[in-house]
Amino acid sequence: MQDMEFTIEEGKLWMLQTRVGKRNGIAATRMAVEMSEEGLITKEEALLRVKPSQLDELLHPMLDPAAAKTHTAIAKGLPAGPGGGTGKIVFSADRAEELGSKGEKVILVRDETSPEDVHGMKPAQAILTSKGGMTSHAALVARGWGKCCIVGCGDLAIDYKNKSAIFGETTLKEGDWITLNGTKGTIYAGELPLIAIDPERNEFYKKLLGWADATRRLKVRANADTPGDAKAAIGFGAEGIGLCRTEHMFFGDRIWAMREMIMAEDLAGRKRALDKLLPMQRQDFYGILKVMGERPVTIRLLDPPLHEFVPHEAEAQEEMASRLDISVAQVKQKVEALKEFNPMLGHRGCRLGITYPEITEMQARAIMEAAAQCYSEGVKVFPEIMIPLIGTDNEFKNQKVIVERVAKTVLKEKGQDVKYLIGTMIEIPRAALVADRIAETAEFFSFGTNDLTQMTFGYSRDDAGGFLFDYLDNKILKSDPFQTVDQEGVGQLIQLGVERGRSTRSDLKVGICGEHGGDPDSVKFCHQVGMDYVSCSPFRLPIARLAAAQARIEQEAG
Amino acid sequence: MQDMEFTIEEGKLWMLQTRVGKRNGIAATRMAVEMSEEGLITKEEALLRVKPSQLDELLHPMLDPAAAKTHTAIAKGLPAGPGGGTGKIVFSADRAEELGSKGEKVILVRDETSPEDVHGMKPAQAILTSKGGMTSHAALVARGWGKCCIVGCGDLAIDYKNKSAIFGETTLKEGDWITLNGTKGTIYAGELPLIAIDPERNEFYKKLLGWADATRRLKVRANADTPGDAKAAIGFGAEGIGLCRTEHMFFGDRIWAMREMIMAEDLAGRKRALDKLLPMQRQDFYGILKVMGERPVTIRLLDPPLHEFVPHEAEAQEEMASRLDISVAQVKQKVEALKEFNPMLGHRGCRLGITYPEITEMQARAIMEAAAQCYSEGVKVFPEIMIPLIGTDNEFKNQKVIVERVAKTVLKEKGQDVKYLIGTMIEIPRAALVADRIAETAEFFSFGTNDLTQMTFGYSRDDAGGFLFDYLDNKILKSDPFQTVDQEGVGQLIQLGVERGRSTRSDLKVGICGEHGGDPDSVKFCHQVGMDYVSCSPFRLPIARLAAAQARIEQEAG
């Protein structure tokens, strides 16, 4: 479609200029489909005419562009969850839950969020944090829910005591209205109008995605941690779960069994605590596996460092001491001992499973018991057990032996012959370099491009806010490597990892489960290096499906 | 040399067994030299007959092996600085300085050390810390001085209040004697005898190293930050300085100018503070350059994150507020703002220089003014300015432009034509992957293998104590990758970096300045990949010289 300017002077037609006509996602989708159906363009051309990112406009309520033009943003942060959100400012998860349950629209504003804030994040229209990066807790959770979110807003200072949010010269109080544009990262004072449509009622959208599905080679999976998310993911077209994180399953009431395990002084004590977690974990996995049926579900074993499960504030430490019947000094000492200088490079991932094999055992048992239960109910599920943070083949072998032993025991106990795989996340640079060695025993690879990007660049995703803006402004980086795969650097490691992995295991299943799995350019890169699937937040699946189709069309066109 | 067992039975000689005779470093050196001079073996064979690590016994006082046999170690930590040390326990740097100045032998025992403890580390016989890894502050400083040091002693709990060190069941008080074997990482209660010899009086040692120097292709440099260390380094055979860190130059009284810069609200304020630092920095560089003369001196621009320069305790924050005439709240706010989740992957290295180009400008000016001064005194020095933490070619270009502009200005002002190079540290995995791009503008590479190992493995050197022992015990790792280059993984990146760098700049000067520069196996690897030099702590230079000679002999023998 072209916008053309012309004039007629003295009976003569003058064409002044012509350029591609701007259209929003809804219009672009409709035009592409209608033109194809009228025989003006092929289906392939139709698929290429919609930018995958334009689908965001159909998938999320968007800020009315007309309103955005007449208002000035009071601050800017990182666009962590697309779409728009408007509501009253609240500064605590409890308050968000309280007002949200009454049907009030609220925006949760915090320095950062933690798993303990989730109950207030859910009812909020949007989330705004002053700290954190594109893969901070707030960003990950919000994107998983398709919720509008802005993080790392350095211009925002929160005064919790006086319940006010200070944006430079503008100070907003609790209850004041605020509007976020999560697609651009801009923040407005007051209530701005949003526009929303329901994609499922849009026949053009459905048709275009149907064509995309028939065209793409890459499979698409979702990152989902609960049966509810898994169900939603299937609705968005998920052909499996590429990343089911298990750490969320240790919060809420279960934190007490987890803390008991952390405080235990010996193996027996840890096992007692883990025994309490086992039935709950089994139930988690049962729910997700059953929803997904025969679709593969990649379950990542416990990943975060243990200090994320202990309280750092005095009051909470006292509560912990009293509930576990130990002294406050013991709690403090443990919290202190677990503290790390650089937790992201610390005692976590498979390193935990190697120090405490009983954690791996419990999780492997929970997964296999859940799978056996599904089988016994006639549902043939397909768990893929993923060992995180592998850097050497020996680490993988160590953990695989444990998982395999437990799996065989459970399947014998239950008399079921469950099909399963044991594989690993490739998220440490060294793992990509020695992928041939790792693939000798690993049955699948999933590229964890969030951590891989952090370590390959030496950027902490939580701290990069301090310089990443400068880097983008000064064109030192072309784009944020946490949003789009850095093909020049990180991409080399991914390509090397795929090639070397398949050099020792030709049928190695390879996917990606970092945030990049929902980024169109990154999806195309994944296609080019020969991955089997991409996995992303459920709400980004339509984008991934279209991008995957475009990748194939573009590749075949040469 | 062989130990042989034999017996004579009924007039018949029976040879029972024979094996290589054990001998200490002093004996091994003497035997090798004497046998060669008697024509029994060649010089090459003599050089191969002494293990480089055996030279440690000549370079440091060692724990008497006889005494070690009759005593049981009370704890074990990481062997961060070789040799033995014995003295009375003290728990603070001030106390160490106080007793040390009276000629008492003390061992400084701390959870960890910081630049503010240096005045007490110097007079101590040895240093013992409960936390930290092989490249923690204590380990780096001690090794630089050739001082015995054990770090990351997880069995040690310090009760500063009651001035006691608890090693499991053994509790020692301030003033109690303790003995460390820094070569093995073992700790003994009480005073054990040490053995010391002076290598400079050992003719065999001197002869052997002379042969090594005539044989090796690799040059050797030292890591040194002061004129005193530089002088010592020359004594140990340094042919240049491979790493002159500049961060140490911002402590002591100068910390106040540094803090003023950090607190400054605008460019003008930062420049005012930096102007105060300029003459001091110039003096630092002048001293080191002049000592080294025409030998190259690689000076690394400011590397650590700014929060290392601000105080984290209330009392010190109050002092800072009063000295800088600002409010305590302002200090606290800045300290809070500078806090990072993963400082090692945070706002440091060239990222600081990009956000605050005025820091790079000041350091470049100080270096070039110092060099010009040396020239004007007839001493032709050779500074190599090193930009740290480069991950992209654009970062390097950004900083090189600044350094070059300042250098040209200064040299014009001073009317001197100083020869200098601008290069970079390769310490981020991505830098090795895009080394061809970086070498288009960088004139030398120095592999910073400490950080490169941290990021390639995803191990924080300060936190790895929590699992690295398990990894070594379980043979998941063959050796500590912070001591010996991990050839399988990190080594791939080094080799790639050298090859790609030279693909765009054939005369690229390449060295290594991580701790590995003094490790015999790593030195051999550096020779194999074609580096020009290795750089290590002055006290490890003799080891590097012998290892470099062995590398060449072994390579030529095929």
Side-chain angles (χ1 to χ4, degrees):
Chain A
M1 185 183 82
Q2 296 283 308
D3 265 348
M4 283 159 60
E5 277 179 42
F6 62 91
T7 184
I8 298 173
E9 255 181 46
E10 298 173 16
K12 205 167 175 178
L13 173 67
W14 294 88
M15 305 291 292
L16 296 178
Q17 67 172 359
T18 170
R19 60 189 160 202
V20 175
K22 281 193 184 160
R23 50 211 189 267
N24 67 21
I26 301 161
T29 305
R30 178 171 181 167
M31 278 179 57
V33 170
E34 285 187 338
M35 285 173 81
S36 173
E37 288 185 328
E38 288 169 19
L40 294 169
I41 57 175
T42 63
K43 278 183 188 170
E44 284 72 25
E45 284 172 310
L47 285 166
L48 292 175
R49 289 215 174 168
V50 179
K51 275 196 213 160
S53 60
Q54 287 185 308
L55 295 183
D56 257 345
E57 294 171 35
L58 286 90
L59 297 167
H60 307 278
M62 301 295 285
L63 201 62
D64 183 344
K69 268 185 202 159
T70 58
H71 289 75
T72 308
I74 55 170
K76 204 168 173 348
L78 296 167
T86 187
K88 290 178 181 171
I89 293 176
V90 293
F91 294 104
S92 76
D94 289 345
R95 185 79 178 142
E97 191 178 29
E98 185 194 333
L99 294 182
S101 69
K102 294 182 191 156
E104 289 206 48
K105 289 186 176 176
V106 297
I107 307 284
L108 179 61
V109 179
R110 305 271 310 158
D111 278 328
E112 52 187 325
T113 65
S114 77
E116 289 168 15
D117 296 319
V118 169
H119 66 285
M121 297 167 75
K122 192 107 199 178
Q125 299 298 309
I127 295 150
L128 169 62
T129 70
S130 61
K131 297 190 177 176
M134 291 297 287
T135 46
S136 60
H137 179 263
L140 284 177
V141 171
R143 261 199 308 276
W145 292 335
K147 195 181 285 287
C148 168
C149 178
I150 296 177
V151 298
C153 175
D155 303 329
L156 163 62
I158 302 176
D159 181 347
Y160 286 114
K161 216 156 88 187
N162 295 310
K163 296 192 178 169
S164 42
I166 303 133
F167 298 91
E169 287 167 15
T170 311
T171 296
L172 300 177
K173 290 280 192 183
E174 185 175 80
D176 285 348
W177 280 76
I178 191 171
T179 302
L180 310 190
N181 182 349
T183 307
K184 293 196 170 172
T186 43
I187 299 151
Y188 301 85
E191 182 184 5
L192 271 66
L194 303 182
I195 302 171
I197 66 157
D198 178 356
E200 282 314 306
R201 292 178 158 199
N202 185 309
E203 57 174 312
F204 306 108
Y205 163 88
K206 287 203 282 187
K207 222 168 244 173
L208 190 79
L209 279 183
W211 297 348
D213 290 341
T215 306
R216 65 187 160 89
R217 178 191 62 73
L218 268 183
K219 296 213 175 291
V220 296
R221 298 196 191 182
N223 299 350
D225 313 330
T226 65
D229 288 353
K231 237 175 251 166
I234 292 175
F236 282 109
E239 296 162 296
I241 288 180
L243 178 61
C244 171
R245 299 182 190 87
T246 56
E247 47 269 26
H248 305 311
M249 303 171 184
F250 294 94
F251 284 94
D253 268 355
R254 305 175 183 188
I255 192 90
W256 296 107
M258 190 65 183
R259 288 177 176 171
E260 189 186 322
M261 188 210 77
I262 291 171
M263 291 305 303
E265 285 180 5
D266 54 15
L267 177 62
R270 282 195 297 275
K271 281 199 167 169
R272 266 196 306 277
L274 287 166
D275 281 347
K276 295 183 190 169
L277 288 166
L278 175 65
M280 306 187 232
Q281 279 261 284
R282 184 173 53 222
Q283 193 54 34
D284 295 327
F285 297 135
Y286 170 76
I288 293 169
L289 287 169
K290 194 149 184 195
V291 165
M292 296 306 290
E294 63 191 2
R295 298 177 187 88
V297 176
T298 306
I299 299 169
R300 177 175 71 181
L301 301 188
L302 193 64
D303 186 54
L306 294 184
H307 64 78
E308 288 195 10
F309 300 99
V310 293
H312 293 86
E313 279 151 31
E315 207 176 318
Q317 289 178 347
E318 281 161 27
E319 186 195 357
M320 176 164 162
S322 109
R323 277 191 75 143
L324 298 186
D325 200 19
I326 50 179
S327 74
V328 177
Q330 277 174 300
V331 173
K332 278 192 206 297
Q333 199 183 1
K334 179 58 88 175
V335 170
E336 197 54 38
L338 290 175
K339 217 178 255 176
E340 294 186 305
F341 293 99
N342 297 289
M344 116 128 260
L345 307 177
H347 198 173
R348 68 182 191 95
C350 71
R351 300 166 196 172
L352 283 177
I354 289 169
T355 317
Y356 306 112
E358 53 276 13
I359 300 179
T360 305
E361 281 169 13
M362 184 277 283
Q363 291 203 294
R365 175 166 279 276
I367 294 167
M368 296 315 292
E369 285 184 355
Q373 193 181 334
C374 292
Y375 263 63
S376 74
E377 294 168 12
V379 184
K380 295 206 166 176
V381 298
F382 187 13
E384 298 177 336
I385 300 174
M386 179 155 73
I387 319 281
L389 218 67
I390 290 291
T392 68
D393 54 329
N394 282 338
E395 287 171 308
F396 185 76
K397 281 180 204 153
N398 174 297
Q399 293 290 288
K400 189 185 177 185
V401 165
I402 297 172
V403 173
E404 227 163 22
R405 175 169 45 75
V406 172
K408 280 185 186 154
T409 309
V410 171
L411 297 184
K412 208 173 157 191
E413 281 168 18
K414 306 290 176 190
Q416 296 289 351
D417 185 24
V418 173
K419 197 176 135 202
Y420 66 98
L421 297 178
I422 308 174
T424 183
M425 207 146 163
I426 303 288
E427 54 191 325
I428 286 188
R430 195 182 188 282
L433 294 166
V434 301
D436 44 346
R437 299 288 301 271
I438 295 173
E440 284 169 8
T441 40
E443 295 171 309
F444 65 86
F445 281 178
S446 176
F447 281 86
T449 46
N450 296 343
D451 275 8
L452 189 62
T453 299
Q454 294 194 81
M455 294 183 210
T456 305
F457 270 96
Y459 294 166
S460 158
R461 58 197 185 190
D462 292 315
D463 304 310
F467 55 87
L468 218 48
F469 278 133
D470 287 339
Y471 272 37
L472 294 168
D473 281 351
N474 292 330
K475 307 256 182 263
I476 287 173
L477 291 174
K478 272 181 300 195
S479 57
D480 180 346
F482 292 111
Q483 289 189 55
T484 299
V485 168
D486 157 53
Q487 295 189 22
E488 191 188 1
V490 179
Q492 281 194 51
L493 286 179
I494 294 174
Q495 191 157 6
L496 209 74
V498 175
E499 285 168 8
R500 293 199 176 163
R502 293 217 173 111
S503 76
T504 52
R505 184 183 293 269
S506 57
D507 64 343
L508 185 78
K509 199 190 263 195
V510 181
I512 186 177
C513 64
E515 284 301 306
H516 303 91
D519 168 73
D521 287 338
S522 308
V523 170
K524 291 181 185 178
F525 175 74
C526 293
H527 175 92
Q528 285 158 18
V529 298
M531 285 196 194
D532 296 298
Y533 69 86
V534 295
S535 186
C536 59
S537 305
F539 280 81
R540 305 194 91 181
L541 280 167
I543 296 172
R545 287 154 67 192
L546 179 56
Q550 292 182 347
R552 180 161 189 183
I553 297 167
E554 286 165 4
Q555 190 184 42
E556 290 182 358
Chain B
M1 186 184 81
Q2 297 283 307
D3 265 346
M4 282 159 61
E5 279 178 39
F6 62 92
T7 182
I8 299 172
E9 254 180 46
E10 299 172 13
K12 207 168 175 178
L13 173 69
W14 296 88
M15 305 291 293
L16 298 176
Q17 67 173 358
T18 170
R19 61 192 160 201
V20 173
K22 280 190 185 164
R23 50 209 190 269
N24 67 21
I26 301 161
T29 305
R30 179 173 179 167
M31 278 179 59
V33 171
E34 285 187 339
M35 285 173 82
S36 173
E37 290 187 329
E38 288 170 19
L40 294 168
I41 55 175
T42 64
K43 278 183 188 170
E44 285 71 25
E45 283 172 309
L47 285 165
L48 293 175
R49 289 215 174 167
V50 179
K51 275 196 213 158
S53 59
Q54 288 185 305
L55 295 182
D56 257 345
E57 294 170 34
L58 287 89
L59 297 166
H60 306 279
M62 300 295 286
L63 202 61
D64 182 345
K69 269 185 200 159
T70 57
H71 288 74
T72 309
I74 55 170
K76 205 171 171 347
L78 296 167
T86 188
K88 291 179 181 172
I89 294 176
V90 294
F91 295 105
S92 76
D94 290 344
R95 184 79 177 141
E97 192 178 30
E98 185 193 333
L99 294 183
S101 70
K102 293 183 193 157
E104 290 206 47
K105 289 186 175 176
V106 297
I107 307 284
L108 180 61
V109 179
R110 305 270 311 159
D111 279 329
E112 51 188 326
T113 65
S114 77
E116 289 168 16
D117 297 318
V118 168
H119 67 286
M121 297 166 75
K122 192 107 198 180
Q125 298 298 311
I127 296 150
L128 168 63
T129 70
S130 61
K131 298 191 177 174
M134 290 297 287
T135 46
S136 60
H137 179 263
L140 284 176
V141 171
R143 260 199 308 276
W145 291 336
K147 197 183 285 287
C148 168
C149 177
I150 297 177
V151 299
C153 175
D155 303 329
L156 164 62
I158 302 177
D159 182 347
Y160 286 115
K161 219 157 85 191
N162 295 309
K163 297 194 177 164
S164 42
I166 304 134
F167 298 92
E169 287 167 12
T170 310
T171 298
L172 298 178
K173 291 278 193 183
E174 185 175 80
D176 285 348
W177 280 77
I178 191 171
T179 302
L180 312 188
N181 181 348
T183 307
K184 294 197 169 169
T186 43
I187 299 150
Y188 301 85
E191 182 185 5
L192 271 65
L194 303 181
I195 301 171
I197 65 156
D198 177 356
E200 282 313 307
R201 294 178 159 200
N202 185 312
E203 57 174 312
F204 306 109
Y205 162 88
K206 287 202 281 187
K207 223 167 245 175
L208 191 79
L209 280 182
W211 296 348
D213 290 341
T215 306
R216 65 189 162 87
R217 178 191 61 71
L218 269 182
K219 294 211 177 293
V220 296
R221 297 196 191 182
N223 300 348
D225 313 330
T226 65
D229 288 353
K231 237 175 253 169
I234 292 175
F236 282 108
E239 295 162 296
I241 288 181
L243 178 61
C244 171
R245 301 181 188 88
T246 56
E247 49 270 27
H248 305 311
M249 303 171 186
F250 294 95
F251 285 94
D253 267 355
R254 304 176 183 185
I255 192 90
W256 296 107
M258 191 64 186
R259 287 176 177 171
E260 189 186 321
M261 187 210 79
I262 291 172
M263 291 305 304
E265 287 181 2
D266 54 16
L267 177 61
R270 281 194 297 276
K271 282 199 168 171
R272 265 197 306 278
L274 287 166
D275 281 346
K276 295 182 191 170
L277 287 166
L278 174 65
M280 305 189 234
Q281 280 261 286
R282 184 174 51 221
Q283 194 54 35
D284 294 326
F285 298 136
Y286 169 75
I288 293 170
L289 288 168
K290 192 147 184 199
V291 165
M292 296 306 291
E294 64 190 2
R295 299 178 187 88
V297 176
T298 307
I299 298 169
R300 177 173 73 180
L301 300 187
L302 193 65
D303 185 56
L306 294 183
H307 63 79
E308 289 195 10
F309 300 98
V310 295
H312 293 85
E313 278 150 29
E315 206 176 317
Q317 289 178 347
E318 280 161 28
E319 187 196 357
M320 174 163 162
S322 111
R323 276 191 76 144
L324 298 186
D325 200 18
I326 51 179
S327 73
V328 177
Q330 277 173 299
V331 173
K332 279 191 204 296
Q333 200 183 359
K334 178 57 86 174
V335 171
E336 197 54 41
L338 290 176
K339 217 178 255 177
E340 293 186 306
F341 293 99
N342 297 289
M344 115 128 261
L345 306 177
H347 198 174
R348 66 181 192 98
C350 70
R351 300 164 196 172
L352 283 177
I354 289 170
T355 318
Y356 306 113
E358 53 277 13
I359 299 180
T360 305
E361 280 169 12
M362 184 278 284
Q363 290 203 294
R365 176 167 278 277
I367 294 168
M368 295 314 292
E369 286 184 353
Q373 193 181 334
C374 291
Y375 263 63
S376 75
E377 295 169 11
V379 183
K380 295 206 165 174
V381 298
F382 186 15
E384 299 177 334
I385 300 174
M386 179 155 75
I387 319 281
L389 218 69
I390 290 292
T392 68
D393 54 329
N394 282 338
E395 287 171 309
F396 185 77
K397 281 180 203 151
N398 174 296
Q399 292 291 288
K400 189 185 177 183
V401 165
I402 297 170
V403 173
E404 228 162 22
R405 175 170 41 76
V406 172
K408 280 185 184 153
T409 309
V410 171
L411 297 184
K412 207 171 158 191
E413 281 169 16
K414 306 290 175 189
Q416 295 289 352
D417 185 24
V418 173
K419 198 177 136 202
Y420 66 98
L421 298 177
I422 308 174
T424 183
M425 207 147 162
I426 303 288
E427 54 192 326
I428 285 186
R430 194 181 189 282
L433 294 165
V434 301
D436 45 345
R437 300 287 301 272
I438 295 173
E440 284 168 8
T441 40
E443 295 170 308
F444 66 86
F445 281 179
S446 177
F447 282 87
T449 45
N450 297 343
D451 276 9
L452 189 61
T453 300
Q454 294 195 82
M455 294 184 209
T456 305
F457 270 96
Y459 295 166
S460 159
R461 57 196 186 189
D462 291 316
D463 303 311
F467 55 88
L468 217 49
F469 278 133
D470 288 339
Y471 272 37
L472 294 168
D473 281 351
N474 293 330
K475 308 255 180 260
I476 287 173
L477 292 173
K478 272 181 299 190
S479 58
D480 181 345
F482 292 111
Q483 288 190 54
T484 298
V485 167
D486 158 53
Q487 295 189 24
E488 190 188 1
V490 179
Q492 281 193 51
L493 287 178
I494 295 174
Q495 190 157 9
L496 211 74
V498 175
E499 285 168 9
R500 293 197 177 164
R502 293 219 173 110
S503 76
T504 51
R505 184 182 293 266
S506 58
D507 64 344
L508 185 77
K509 197 191 267 194
V510 181
I512 185 176
C513 64
E515 284 301 305
H516 303 91
D519 168 72
D521 288 340
S522 308
V523 170
K524 291 181 184 178
F525 175 74
C526 294
H527 175 92
Q528 283 158 19
V529 299
M531 285 195 193
D532 296 298
Y533 68 87
V534 296
S535 187
C536 59
S537 306
F539 280 81
R540 305 195 89 181
L541 279 167
I543 297 174
R545 286 154 68 193
L546 179 55
Q550 292 182 347
R552 181 161 190 185
I553 297 168
E554 286 165 2
Q555 191 184 42
E556 290 183 357

